[in-house]
Amino acid sequence: MKITWHQCNTYAEARDYSGIVYLHEWNDKPFYWGKAHKSFFGGHMRERDGLRASGRYNVGYRHWIEGCLRHGAKLYIGLLDQEALVNIDEIEKFLIHTYGHEMNTKIVVPIRSLQIEHSGVAPMCLREVDPS
């Protein structure tokens, strides 16, 4: 399974991604992991590339995300390959459990250890820890 990471510097850069995992990172540490599986990361209800969905963070969150990004937070979007997308729920649980978090509330021990290849601009927490 492979995740290709992109760092987004604005809400607008992140809003149209779907079928992804994401990380809000503060001080190079995981703050909150999430996913936008059958939704977009941001925006209102719309159709794009055959997906009719709303945003995980609708435009009412734009000011909050922009404020965080302007004052030290980082936002990473992880594009999943086909195998990873099929296992998105398990991947989200694995990332939370393996790399830590500050604000996730649904903490579940993953069923199995996953072998995930990370590429692109990976979050710092993935660059510093080798879970194997």
Side-chain angles (χ1 to χ4, degrees):
M1 290 185 272
K2 182 176 180 179
I3 302 175
T4 304
W5 293 96
H6 299 273
Q7 184 175 353
C8 293
N9 296 309
T10 65
Y11 176 86
E13 285 179 37
R15 70 179 301 242
D16 289 328
Y17 285 103
S18 64
I20 52 128
V21 292
Y22 61 86
L23 174 64
H24 294 285
E25 187 180 71
W26 281 92
N27 300 319
D28 296 332
K29 296 188 181 349
F31 188 73
Y32 183 84
W33 296 94
K35 65 181 181 214
H37 184 198
K38 295 181 179 177
S39 63
F40 296 102
F41 178 84
H44 288 307
M45 178 64 75
R46 64 193 181 280
E47 187 165 343
R48 183 182 174 107
D49 299 328
L51 174 64
R52 180 166 170 70
S54 58
R56 169 75 176 78
Y57 296 99
N58 69 41
V59 292
Y61 288 92
R62 184 183 65 83
H63 74 284
W64 190 252
I65 291 173
E66 288 287 337
C68 292
L69 292 172
R70 291 177 191 181
H71 295 282
K74 295 177 186 167
L75 173 59
Y76 294 93
I77 300 291
L79 297 173
L80 308 175
D81 69 6
Q82 275 308 116
E83 182 184 5
L85 186 57
V86 170
N87 294 289
I88 191 169
D89 294 334
E90 196 173 358
I91 286 174
E92 180 191 31
K93 291 173 191 170
F94 178 80
L95 293 170
I96 292 167
H97 185 265
T98 304
Y99 298 101
H101 64 93
E102 203 167 313
M103 294 301 293
N104 287 93
T105 56
K106 297 185 299 182
I107 291 62
V108 179
V109 176
I111 298 170
R112 60 187 169 123
S113 181
L114 300 177
Q115 298 299 316
I116 300 172
E117 177 187 342
H118 298 281
S119 66
V121 180
M124 190 59 69
C125 62
L126 297 179
R127 295 182 229 168
E128 293 179 345
V129 177
D130 181 4
S132 50

